[in-house]
Amino acid sequence: GEDVKPFTPEKTKEIVMSLQQPAVFCNMVGDWPALHWNAKYLSAVLDGKMIQFRLGLKTVDLVPQFETRCSYVMATLEEFLAWSCGQPSCLSGPFSCYEYSKYWAYADYKYIARIFEDKPEIFQDIRWSDFGFPGRSGKESTLWIGSEGANTPCHLDSYGCNLVLQVQGRKRWHLFPPGDTSFLYPTRIPYEESSVFSKVNVANPDLKHFPEFRNTTAHVVTLSPGQVLLVPRHWWHYVESIDPITVSINSWIELDADHEARVEEAITRMLVCAIKSAENPSDGDLWLNPTEVEATSHEINLQYLNKAVSEYFKCQKASVSEQACSSSTGAEQRTSASCKRKKREVGCEPEGYRLLTHEFGFSTFKAEKLQKIPFGPHLIQVLPESQETSSMGAVASDTRNLHEDEGGHFGKLHSTRKQLVMSNDCEMPAHQVDSDSSPNASQTALSTNDLLDCLVNPHVINLVARLLLERARV
């Protein structure tokens, strides 16, 4: 018979949309065909299809190994698996220049709708309808396949909340609440729309330069196959693969607050592009993340800003109308297809869809609401490290020293690939300390990046966005 879920779709959706702390869902996906999506199975399904892998050094530096510091190769999953097993055939393959003991590889942020565009039936293997989002499947999800040590620099996502299904191997998640933002030294360099990076390498923090990192509150959990992690809106996260091969599937759930976030991101893009584009290109600052196609012009950025503002007010108007009739109609709302990177691409614009009207501010999420959440064996709260208990069972937080699992960095690719950054040669990734943070740099000479760190600080941008929206409202 069909598996009995511990929560109904309606109850699960209520939890996802209201809980502002990370938690792990257990026993919710036992009947999902996607649980069979291990790397060997996916290799057979893809049948020799070439995909991009990001490669980084396993050595741990004081500086995060951003995507701009990684190497890239095009390879098949079969070649990736052979490399990860140390097979001789790899001596002449795309991974031949990258010794497995020194490097990790990551096929990250792959849109399932694109890599399986000729096999649309596979989308139904992923059933986010069990979490209260009918119609959401693999078509609105992304796939992540990596080797041991693959990791991402600590960052927060500007939009939505995140549901992550672990399929193969384990990943360790280090999560930090939105209130820790100032302690994580946020930066928009390298610039990537929708991602705010931390200057701190969580695996090896430089407390001399970033002393406030001591004040962070880490929530650490090891996610195992069959478990689904909820990453609430604006929670910082650093993720590392701790098994030889890992496979994950995720989907971002849109929120009403995303419309204001789009305005903030439009302001940030305009400022970063304007200031960094004015620099001398010979400076060699790799400020644009490989996920970004190009530094868009001021005119295009201004158009994007106006569109974001327009969509914000359109959403507000629609929300007011829905609230006015919801008490009498009780009409169920729907979400759009997930497109976290929401660029100005066809299919990624917010136009024409209705967002969920549940918006819960972090400061207003009261203790009594938290008490109503049905924590237990099927929903396990990810506690701060100091509050960890053995009762967490299979998903107990792993508090081993981060240095035990040396790792580099894995990043996120936007749906538009930047082909220019791909390289099949043996060039080592540039993982040196950035010029403006080099020990030899003057302690008094401020760089453009120093100015931007202040100018596009999330708190500053939020204030500017609110002032701009107030002006537009008049």
Side-chain angles (χ1 to χ4, degrees), residues 302-337:
L302 187 60
Q303 291 175 17
Y304 184 39
L305 174 60
N306 278 281
K307 183 171 182 60
V309 171
S310 175
E311 292 292 340
Y312 171 84
F313 287 117
K314 184 186 297 183
C315 179
Q316 274 203 329
K317 184 177 180 180
S319 179
V320 170
S321 299
E322 287 185 5
Q323 290 175 2
C325 66
S326 62
S327 59
S328 58
T329 63
E332 183 177 352
Q333 301 182 28
R334 61 182 175 83
T335 59
S336 71

Side-chain angles (χ1 to χ4, degrees), residues 293-307:
V293 180
E294 62 183 352
T296 43
S297 69
H298 181 78
E299 289 74 22
I300 290 177
N301 291 335
L302 187 60
Q303 291 175 17
Y304 184 39
L305 174 60
N306 278 281
K307 183 171 182 60

Side-chain angles (χ1 to χ4, degrees), residues 271-283 287 295 448:
L271 293 174
V272 172
C273 288
I275 293 177
K276 293 300 290 185
S277 297
E279 284 188 322
N280 189 335
S282 64
D283 291 344
W287 66 273
T448 302

